[in-house]
Amino acid sequence: MIEAAASRLAGHVRETPLLSAPGLDRIAGRRVLVKAECLQHTGSFKARGGWAAVSARGAGARGVIALSSGNHAQGVARAAAAFGLPAVIVMPTDAPGPKIDGTRALGAELVLYDRATEDREALAAGIAAARGLTLIRPFDDPQVIAGQGTVGLELAAQAAAAGVTDADVLIPCGGGGLTAGVALALEARAPGLRVRPVEPEGFDDTARSLAAGRIVANDARAGSLCDAILTPSPGRITFPVMARLCGPGLVVTEGEALRAMAAAFTQLRIVLEPGGAVALAAALFRAEAVTGDAVIVIGSGGNVAAETFRMALGQDGEAR
Amino acid sequence: MIEAAASRLAGHVRETPLLSAPGLDRIAGRRVLVKAECLQHTGSFKARGGWAAVSARGAGARGVIALSSGNHAQGVARAAAAFGLPAVIVMPTDAPGPKIDGTRALGAELVLYDRATEDREALAAGIAAARGLTLIRPFDDPQVIAGQGTVGLELAAQAAAAGVTDADVLIPCGGGGLTAGVALALEARAPGLRVRPVEPEGFDDTARSLAAGRIVANDARAGSLCDAILTPSPGRITFPVMARLCGPGLVVTEGEALRAMAAAFTQLRIVLEPGGAVALAAALFRAEAVTGDAVIVIGSGGNVAAETFRMALGQDGEAR
């Protein structure tokens, strides 16, 4: 399915570069390779899963609907526009400005809801039923997982070209679509690369689920700058894949994510959002929990409000 | 020479991506393609010219010396380190912090001078003579121009793949090494792509020289955030090339450069420095002076102090 998704995506998503900088290697104490999915169309890997899912639905769909804080929204909206399908996106009112603007600019219809008081699942189900729209889930959808898995196909080839065949692969993890998809791709193409999910403190449902051997949920639903990866618990489809293939999860603080954003700014000249920077944060600031001479990191997205980025640049004395 | 340089550079510099975003097309009123040289090693295209020049000098050199506000410095320092040669960099005291730090981190010896009171040419010549070092000029060196020209070889192929064979190519221009090198490469590989230098207001020596048909100089030597492209006048080698091959120059304000940095942040998730953003600024905010259905822009560098980038993000109401 991942290879089939890659065929459908060819020419419609970018092969993102695997970047490095001596300054990052020095901080981490080992070689660091960063897969810059923030340079993907729509600013995150979600353009892959969105395209894979919408293209798999074929011409029969009357339109699509998605629940998202903004990255999945843009991935689905972009694909729907390309296939001439209407797209409705159900998005929290506190989503970052650029994500709301970006989704609207792609031609999608936005329905905003209050994260604290409204049931987004019921809201979306109601609209889907009334208008005959197909729901594209953000992670618990085989085609979405296959689309995100194309990151892993690229990574296997790029890591081999860089001479890295044995390393931890740190991945920002929300519901686990990217993590599970990449793990499946690497199982086939680069079995020496070990996938490990990374989450922000207080939202480490996947790390705790992997440790417990069963799905457990977060207490909190909101309250982190890492909006892209705040899911209540790993998915029913993604968790068994992660339980079989992924190493122990890593957890970083919000402050570490902001410092990783500053390091990516100075050393790689790329823009990462907080949720997209947690894996780099683990590589740089939790080095003792990582194994191997080299570490691969996915920088999964770069849709961040200017105000948040300005705050990140104020965090790091090195980023003058 | 450009093709020979490309052979020596293979595996040592990155083929940088040609990026685009619907949001930029909307602002410019035409298709915009951005060659992201800020993603190059050392954060600018200067890694190419530095490698080309140092590799061409061969094993005979006892060491190299360069004058630079920071990007050429890092390009030369990186290449010298790879070839096991000592590197001395003569740099103004007011160079941006990341450029000073980056150059030092690459193992170069720094000699700082005061832009207003010291003669950097005499300073460098003295050190070069005393220590037997080879001077690598920032633009008036055929091997440096050939190295920068490899951007043009990549661009010709990438633009053709994107279906663009007839467009203005806007290039941030200091002494003209990149501009002349790319113009020579495109003359051979993509004659429908017309190179046009872009400079900041008050430092438009190349635009005025092209208009006058002879080299004229700027009055000011400093006083712009666009530190990377503040040369007194076009080079003796680069100017005749530009006069033969390049279209009229474009000029933008410092404020427009800062707004272009904000647009690149929001739309492409890349970091541009002010001098590296002037071509994008011309594409976005001087659209009436650009010709064609598409425009190609080189984002030439991304080594910018956090304080300056924070200021740029405060400039644009859209970049919330």
Side-chain angles (χ1 to χ4, degrees), chain A residues 155-203:
Chain A
L155 195 52
Q158 291 171 316
V164 175
T165 54
D166 181 1
D168 284 2
V169 178
L170 311 186
I171 305 188
C173 185
L178 179 64
T179 307
V182 170
L184 288 165
L186 295 181
E187 180 188 25
R189 296 285 181 91
L193 301 183
R194 300 169 296 279
V195 169
R196 302 182 62 185
V198 185
E199 295 164 299
E201 217 171 49
F203 299 87

Side-chain angles (χ1 to χ4, degrees), chain A residues 139 171-180 183 195-219 229-236 238-251 278:
Chain A
F139 51 86
I171 305 188
C173 185
L178 179 64
T179 307
V195 169
R196 302 182 62 185
V198 185
E199 295 164 299
E201 217 171 49
F203 299 87
D204 58 343
D205 49 297
T206 299
R208 290 187 294 110
S209 298
L210 287 174
R214 63 183 173 81
I215 293 177
V216 297
N218 295 319
D219 293 330
I229 53 175
L230 304 188
T231 37
S233 59
R236 287 161 179 275
T238 58
F239 180 68
V241 175
M242 294 193 285
R244 184 169 69 80
L245 295 175
C246 297
L250 294 159
V251 181
V278 294

Side-chain angles (χ1 to χ4, degrees), chain B residues 159-259:
Chain B
V164 175
T165 54
D166 182 1
D168 284 1
V169 178
L170 311 186
I171 305 188
C173 185
L178 179 64
T179 306
V182 170
L184 287 165
L186 295 181
E187 181 188 25
R189 297 285 181 89
L193 301 182
R194 300 168 297 277
V195 169
R196 301 182 62 185
V198 185
E199 295 164 298
E201 216 171 51
F203 298 88
D204 59 343
D205 49 297
T206 298
R208 290 186 295 110
S209 298
L210 287 174
R214 62 183 174 79
I215 293 177
V216 297
N218 296 318
D219 293 331
R221 288 288 182 274
S224 166
L225 284 172
C226 301
D227 62 278
I229 54 173
L230 303 187
T231 36
S233 58
R236 288 162 180 274
I237 302 176
T238 57
F239 179 68
V241 175
M242 294 193 285
R244 183 169 68 80
L245 295 176
C246 297
L250 294 159
V251 181
V252 301
T253 66
E254 199 168 80
E256 288 169 332
L258 290 169
R259 285 167 58 208

Side-chain angles (χ1 to χ4, degrees), chain A:
Chain A
M1 279 183 72
I2 298 173
E3 284 165 7
S7 301
R8 297 200 305 282
L9 267 60
H12 302 292
V13 304
R14 295 189 179 119
E15 177 174 330
T16 52
L18 190 63
L19 301 175
S20 61
L24 294 181
D25 299 352
R26 266 192 299 276
I27 300 172
R30 55 168 64 85
R31 193 168 166 205
V32 180
L33 299 166
V34 180
K35 177 83 170 151
E37 277 295 304
C38 56
L39 302 176
Q40 189 51 267
H41 292 290
T42 74
S44 91
F45 71 94
K46 295 278 190 175
R48 299 175 186 262
W51 195 279
V54 172
S55 63
R57 295 308 188 269
R62 287 172 58 186
V64 296
I65 184 167
L67 297 161
S68 167
S69 80
N71 284 339
H72 177 59
Q74 294 180 75
V76 169
R78 176 171 176 267
F83 284 86
L85 296 173
V88 175
I89 307 293
V90 180
M91 217 165 170
T93 49
D94 63 355
K99 292 182 175 175
I100 293 177
D101 296 346
T103 306
R104 201 168 266 149
L106 289 163
E109 178 187 341
L110 256 65
V111 176
L112 297 173
Y113 73 94
D114 184 329
R115 229 186 247 269
T117 62
E118 293 185 77
D119 179 347
R120 69 175 197 170
E121 301 280 346
L123 181 63
I127 299 170
R131 297 172 53 176
L133 303 175
T134 302
L135 178 66
I136 310 282
R137 296 184 186 279
F139 51 86
D140 250 352
D141 175 319
Q143 291 294 357
V144 169
I145 296 169
Q148 323 303 27
T150 62
V151 173
L153 298 183
E154 292 176 16
L155 195 52
Q158 291 171 316
V164 175
T165 54
D166 181 1
D168 284 2
V169 178
L170 311 186
I171 305 188
C173 185
L178 179 64
T179 307
V182 170
L184 288 165
L186 295 181
E187 180 188 25
R189 296 285 181 91
L193 301 183
R194 300 169 296 279
V195 169
R196 302 182 62 185
V198 185
E199 295 164 299
E201 217 171 49
F203 299 87
D204 58 343
D205 49 297
T206 299
R208 290 187 294 110
S209 298
L210 287 174
R214 63 183 173 81
I215 293 177
V216 297
N218 295 319
D219 293 330
R221 287 287 183 274
S224 166
L225 285 172
C226 302
D227 62 279
I229 53 175
L230 304 188
T231 37
S233 59
R236 287 161 179 275
I237 302 177
T238 58
F239 180 68
V241 175
M242 294 193 285
R244 184 169 69 80
L245 295 175
C246 297
L250 294 159
V251 181
V252 300
T253 66
E254 200 169 79
E256 288 169 333
L258 290 170
R259 285 167 57 207
M261 290 165 66
F265 162 85
T266 303
Q267 302 289 340
L268 300 177
R269 298 94 192 170
I270 59 173
V271 175
L272 293 179
E273 60 185 281
V278 294
L280 180 58
L284 297 180
F285 309 123
R286 302 291 172 118
E288 73 290 350
V290 176
T291 63
D293 297 334
V295 61
I296 295 169
V297 159
I298 298 184
S300 53
N303 291 316
V304 52
E307 186 184 315
T308 307
F309 202 77
R310 286 165 56 103
M311 182 166 62
L313 294 190
Q315 297 275 315
D316 187 347
E318 282 184 26
R320 288 181 303 201

